[in-house]
Amino acid sequence: MPVRYAANLTMLYTEVPFLDRFASAAADGFRAVEFLFPYEAGVTEIQARVEALRLTVALFNVPPGDLEHGEWGTLGIPARHDHFRHAFATALDAAARLGCRRVHTLFGNRLTGVDPAAQVACAVENLAWAAPQAAHAGVTLLLEWLNPVDFPGFFLHTTAAAMSVIRQVDHPAVKLQYDVYHAQVTEGNLIGTIETHFPYLGHVQIADVPGRHEPGTGEINYPAVLGALGRLGYEGYVGLEYQPSRDTTSSFAWLPRELRGA
C-alpha cells in the first residue's frame, strides 16, 4: 500500500516564518503536516491554516516542560507528575481542535540521584492514566526514544527501552514512535526492527545518516525501508523530520510530487 507522508514544519521550510510553512507545504503537494509544538504559534492560528488549506495534522508533542532549564518532557519525571497531567490535558484539547490523532508524550531526561526504575514507574502510571482518555478522544499516544549521540541526557535510548514501557502500560492507545534516523545512529537493523515491532508502530519519522538530511544524502537504504512499510501495510504517516541540505523545496527531489499527498 502507498506510504503517506507528513512534512515536519519545525525542521522544514525554515526559510519562512512558522505560520507561513503550512502554505509552503501545501504548495509542494503535501496533504499532511507535523510539528513539535502548536502552543507558541497558537492553536487557533494553526487551525485556521490547516482548515483553509485542507491539511491533516499528523502529529505534535505535549508541552515539554521548562525548556530554559533543559527539560525535554515530563512523562517520566516523578517531581513533575502534576505538570505532565496538565500538559496532557492541554495537548488533548489542541488535538481535538486540530483534528490530530497522534500525540507524542515526551518521556524526559534521565535524572541524577533518581532511581531509573522510579522514572519508568512514573511514566507507566502517567500513560495508564492518560491512555483511556486519549482512546475516548480517538487519539493514539506515542513514546519515542532518541539516540545518545545527539541527546545524551534523554532517558530512552533504544527501541527495547521504549517497548518495555509500552508493554507495561499494555493499552492499545499507547504505541511506538520510531525515528529511523535515531535508530540508524544507535542500532541499525532497521527493517528487522520494524518487522518485529510492527503491531506497536504508531508513527515513523525519517532522515538520513550522517547529517540528518533528506533521504538519499547518506547511508540509509530508504527505498528498502519505505518499501518494507508499504509491504507490511503501515497505515500511519511517515514524518519528514530532517534538516534540508539545500532549500526545502529542492530537498524533495527524492520524493515525486504525486507521492507527497498520498
Side-chain angles (χ1 to χ4, degrees), residues 9-79:
L9 301 187
T10 301
M11 297 187 67
L12 302 174
Y13 300 108
T14 57
E15 304 91 339
V16 299
F18 178 75
L19 288 173
D20 293 338
R21 298 175 194 176
F22 294 86
S24 297
D28 278 336
F30 290 98
R31 305 311 310 153
V33 297
E34 64 176 39
F35 37 81
L36 288 182
F37 308 109
Y39 316 107
E40 183 176 349
V43 174
T44 299
E45 288 76 8
I46 293 173
Q47 182 180 5
R49 282 159 176 79
V50 298
E51 289 179 355
L53 295 163
R54 298 183 179 180
L55 292 171
T56 295
V57 177
L59 172 77
F60 61 83
N61 301 339
V62 300
D66 189 347
L67 288 174
E68 290 187 4
H69 290 86
E71 280 192 331
W72 193 242
T74 58
L75 174 72
I77 310 300

Side-chain angles (χ1 to χ4, degrees), residues 77-129:
I77 310 300
R80 299 284 271 157
H81 179 273
D82 290 343
H83 179 275
F84 171 78
R85 299 197 175 198
H86 175 74
F88 169 74
T90 299
L92 199 62
D93 176 71
R97 294 171 63 188
L98 297 175
C100 181
R101 300 301 183 190
R102 295 167 185 81
V103 173
H104 173 212
T105 55
L106 280 175
F107 190 105
N109 294 325
R110 185 176 295 273
L111 301 175
T112 302
V114 176
D115 185 352
Q119 290 197 244
V120 170
C122 177
V124 170
E125 179 187 353
N126 278 330
L127 285 171
W129 169 82

Side-chain angles (χ1 to χ4, degrees), residues 239-262:
L240 309 185
E241 194 185 42
Y242 64 74
Q243 299 167 339
S245 64
R246 40 188 168 163
D247 70 277
T248 298
T249 296
S250 296
S251 78
F252 299 132
W254 66 277
L255 183 59
R257 186 181 181 91
E258 63 269 19
L259 298 181
R260 300 174 194 174

Side-chain angles (χ1 to χ4, degrees), residues 100-202:
C100 181
R101 300 301 183 190
R102 295 167 185 81
V103 173
H104 173 212
T105 55
L106 280 175
F107 190 105
N109 294 325
R110 185 176 295 273
L111 301 175
T112 302
V114 176
D115 185 352
Q119 290 197 244
V120 170
C122 177
V124 170
E125 179 187 353
N126 278 330
L127 285 171
W129 169 82
Q133 301 174 62
H136 181 74
V139 170
T140 296
L141 301 180
L142 301 170
L143 194 65
E144 181 185 28
W145 62 274
L146 307 178
N147 81 73
V149 176
D150 297 332
F151 299 92
F154 199 69
F155 189 92
L156 300 174
H157 280 157
T158 64
T159 302
M163 285 302 307
S164 175
V165 175
I166 291 168
R167 287 193 172 101
Q168 288 181 66
V169 178
D170 191 24
H171 193 286
V174 179
K175 293 193 174 184
L176 177 69
Q177 182 169 319
Y178 185 74
D179 189 310
V180 178
Y181 167 78
H182 293 303
Q184 178 66 6
V185 170
T186 307
E187 299 176 341
N189 190 31
L190 304 173
I191 294 174
T193 301
I194 289 170
E195 290 175 339
T196 297
H197 300 293
F198 186 74
Y200 295 95
L201 207 62

